[in-house]
Amino acid sequence: MAVSNAKMKHFTKGKNEAVEIMVTTEQYCRAEDRAEELGILRNSITKGKSNGWGMLGEEIIRDLLNCTESDDIYNYDLKTPGGMRLEIKTKKTSMTKPPKPHFECSVCNHNPRQKCDAYVFLRVSTRVNKAWICGFKTKKEFMEQARFFKKGDTDESNGYKVHASCYNMNISELDPIDQLN
């Protein structure tokens, strides 16, 4: 697996890759309606400006896995037909091509208290009607395996200065979405 930044090679541990999907007009509309209703959540890094993108990630996973909406907006976003509680983590991107396996997926430090069974990670393009499902991890595995960064730390693998304390894993370290049941 080719890595664009040599410092990242040691972080590309697994073989998982993001799965590209086309986003529908219906998914955009549902996400926008829900984002307007929601307003600004406490601890929102973007002060509510990215709510629509986060909701779009939820709509994509809802359709893909035939999930039902959560009855507990704080602890998890969706419930699978089998009852698994999913917290959907969506990052917006201006990219038009799939994220590389060494790109990171994050859970903010204030989120680990949520009562979910698994985290599902997506990237949604702001420029084309595409999204990439990066994978998932059970909450337990994610918390055991993720790297912790404090607000203000610099991730030496890519030079990114962390804006909020968080736990990170690379896309390659996640489990493929088709293994979620």
Side-chain angles (χ1 to χ4, degrees), residues 51-169:
N51 285 356
W53 298 108
M55 298 289 186
L56 183 57
E58 292 175 23
E59 293 301 326
I60 291 165
I61 296 301
R62 175 198 318 270
D63 290 349
L64 181 74
L65 301 177
N66 296 313
C67 292
T68 57
E69 195 167 322
S70 168
D71 55 1
D72 181 351
I73 196 163
Y74 174 76
N75 284 303
Y76 61 96
D77 297 313
L78 299 170
K79 197 181 276 189
T80 67
M84 188 174 225
R85 299 168 298 175
L86 306 178
E87 178 63 19
I88 312 303
K89 299 297 181 188
T90 306
K91 286 186 180 182
K92 66 181 180 176
T93 180
S94 61
M95 295 176 63
T96 58
K97 298 194 187 290
K100 304 227 184 273
H102 64 267
F103 285 18
E104 295 177 319
C105 297
S106 304
V107 173
C108 284
N109 191 36
H110 61 266
N111 291 122
R113 292 183 292 278
Q114 291 174 304
K115 294 178 179 85
C116 62
D117 299 313
Y119 296 112
V120 178
F121 300 93
L122 291 93
R123 299 233 174 180
V124 176
S125 178
T126 59
R127 295 178 52 206
V128 294
N129 291 343
K130 291 181 182 179
W132 297 274
I133 301 170
C134 300
F136 81 98
K137 272 291 181 195
T138 66
K139 179 182 176 182
K140 181 180 186 301
E141 290 174 322
F142 188 86
M143 289 299 139
E144 290 172 354
Q145 298 169 19
R147 294 172 294 286
F148 179 74
F149 291 95
K150 251 183 0 190
K151 180 179 180 177
D153 285 350
T154 298
D155 183 343
E156 291 181 14
S157 71
N158 59 18
Y160 179 74
K161 187 172 181 176
V162 179
H163 299 309
S165 297
C166 62
Y167 298 86
N168 285 1
M169 285 188 86

Side-chain angles (χ1 to χ4, degrees), residues 34-51:
R34 290 180 56 222
E36 275 185 42
E37 283 179 34
L38 181 63
I40 301 172
L41 289 175
R42 188 169 52 98
N43 296 320
S44 172
I45 293 170
T46 63
K47 308 293 184 235
K49 292 179 183 163
S50 293
N51 285 356

